[in-house]
Amino acid sequence: MVLARLASDERPQMVHQLRVLGSWVEKLRGLLGTSERAMPVMLTRCGSVHTFGMGYPIDIAFVGELGEVLEVRREVEPGAFASNRDACCVIERPASSDAWIEKGEHLWIVAMGLG
């Protein structure tokens, strides 16, 4: 498993730790089968997600190829499909009222490692 830390140009104090999912199987699974305490994930080379089979709602951020946050959807309920044709990756986490990625931010990977 690859772990990453994301930072934002607009909010340098906000650092998001997440798992990077790159294989087809990893991306298909995403947060499926996890609990509401699961670590956020980044689905690389991805512009759409589904919440079929999920047991809880999720927050989603669609990110463009230059790290720009194109769209954010909060509390996407189980059984939904979401996509953005301009996204090159998607970041998702269990829905939370905690601070989250915002549309218009520019994100950067500041550290990566193996978990």
Side-chain angles (χ1 to χ4, degrees):
M1 167 178 35
V2 177
L3 300 175
R5 295 179 71 205
L6 287 180
S8 167
D9 282 348
E10 291 74 20
R11 297 183 298 159
Q13 74 282 6
M14 292 295 301
V15 175
H16 303 280
Q17 294 190 30
L18 46 83
R19 291 183 304 128
V20 179
L21 308 179
S23 77
W24 183 84
V25 172
E26 288 177 324
K27 292 187 289 187
L28 180 64
R29 182 170 183 237
L31 290 172
L32 188 63
T34 64
S35 76
E36 294 180 49
R37 295 181 306 277
M39 177 181 279
V41 296
M42 174 191 287
L43 290 71
T44 62
R45 298 177 313 279
C46 179
S48 62
V49 296
H50 69 85
T51 59
F52 300 108
M54 294 294 298
Y56 55 86
I58 63 173
D59 294 334
I60 302 169
F62 293 98
V63 182
E65 65 182 43
L66 300 176
E68 69 279 19
V69 179
L70 304 170
E71 180 181 356
V72 174
R73 297 189 190 181
R74 302 291 298 260
E75 297 197 22
V76 177
E77 293 292 332
F81 178 81
S83 68
N84 183 301
R85 66 184 183 119
D86 296 321
C88 73
C89 72
V90 179
I91 301 171
E92 58 183 36
R93 71 167 183 184
S96 171
S97 60
D98 293 344
W100 180 233
I101 297 165
E102 296 179 5
K103 182 179 179 180
E105 283 188 284
H106 285 82
L107 303 176
W108 304 95
I109 294 178
V110 293
M112 288 187 73
L114 298 176

